[in-house]
Amino acid sequence: MTDYNQQFGNKGENIALNFLKELGYSILEKNWRHSNLEIDIIAKDKNTIVIVEVKIRNTDMYGDPEDFVNRNKQKLLIRAANAYIIRNNINADVRFDIIAIIETKDGGLSIKHLVDAFYPDVN
């Protein structure tokens, strides 16, 4: 990943953190890692643990940011969430959200919060 991409991604995560805090979420972790897996943000919304994937783009020309959280990425997030839950002995509901951000050239922001964006497979 180039420095620009990493900085742009970090910017998106910071925007998402502030957005979630304004909604009253408690932030538990940012960039939580387990082996080669990473969760952008782990938050708490009332009694629910929220696993948040952040996607930021400067255009929607190639699709909405949330479209890039494909099934493979979802599986990786689910594996990481399982590791987090086990490591921290959590007994609470867990959900997976996506925060999709588009930053325009004039500095404007479009933020879309997809609550319960996807669900883990039972099998």
Side-chain angles (χ1 to χ4, degrees):
M1 183 182 301
T2 67
D3 282 343
Y4 171 79
N5 288 343
Q6 189 163 12
Q7 288 175 355
F8 194 57
N10 287 337
K11 181 178 185 177
E13 289 168 358
N14 289 330
I15 291 167
L17 280 172
N18 291 329
F19 177 82
L20 291 170
K21 287 177 186 176
E22 287 178 15
L23 292 176
Y25 288 52
S26 299
I27 305 303
L28 303 176
E29 303 278 352
K30 180 182 177 209
N31 300 121
W32 185 83
R33 292 187 165 280
H34 172 74
S35 186
N36 64 333
L37 305 173
E38 181 182 16
I39 300 172
D40 292 335
I41 299 170
I42 302 173
K44 192 169 185 183
D45 178 24
K46 297 179 184 77
N47 295 321
T48 301
I49 300 297
V50 185
I51 307 300
V52 181
E53 176 67 9
V54 179
K55 290 293 181 191
I56 185 169
R57 298 289 184 264
N58 55 20
T59 180
D60 61 357
M61 184 183 305
Y62 303 106
D64 293 324
E66 65 270 22
D67 294 341
F68 294 89
V69 184
N70 60 28
R71 191 67 192 136
N72 187 52
K73 179 63 178 174
Q74 292 173 16
K75 288 179 183 179
L76 295 174
L77 287 167
I78 292 164
R79 283 190 13 218
N82 285 335
Y84 180 81
I85 290 163
I86 291 167
R87 180 177 293 166
N88 293 286
N89 197 27
I90 293 173
N91 185 15
D93 290 336
V94 177
R95 74 170 197 249
F96 295 87
D97 290 5
I98 298 172
I99 295 184
I101 304 165
I102 297 176
E103 181 182 52
T104 59
K105 292 186 190 300
D106 64 0
L109 290 175
S110 166
I111 302 173
K112 192 183 320 180
H113 183 190
L114 291 88
V115 177
D116 278 326
F118 61 90
Y119 302 93
D121 287 336
V122 179
N123 40 356

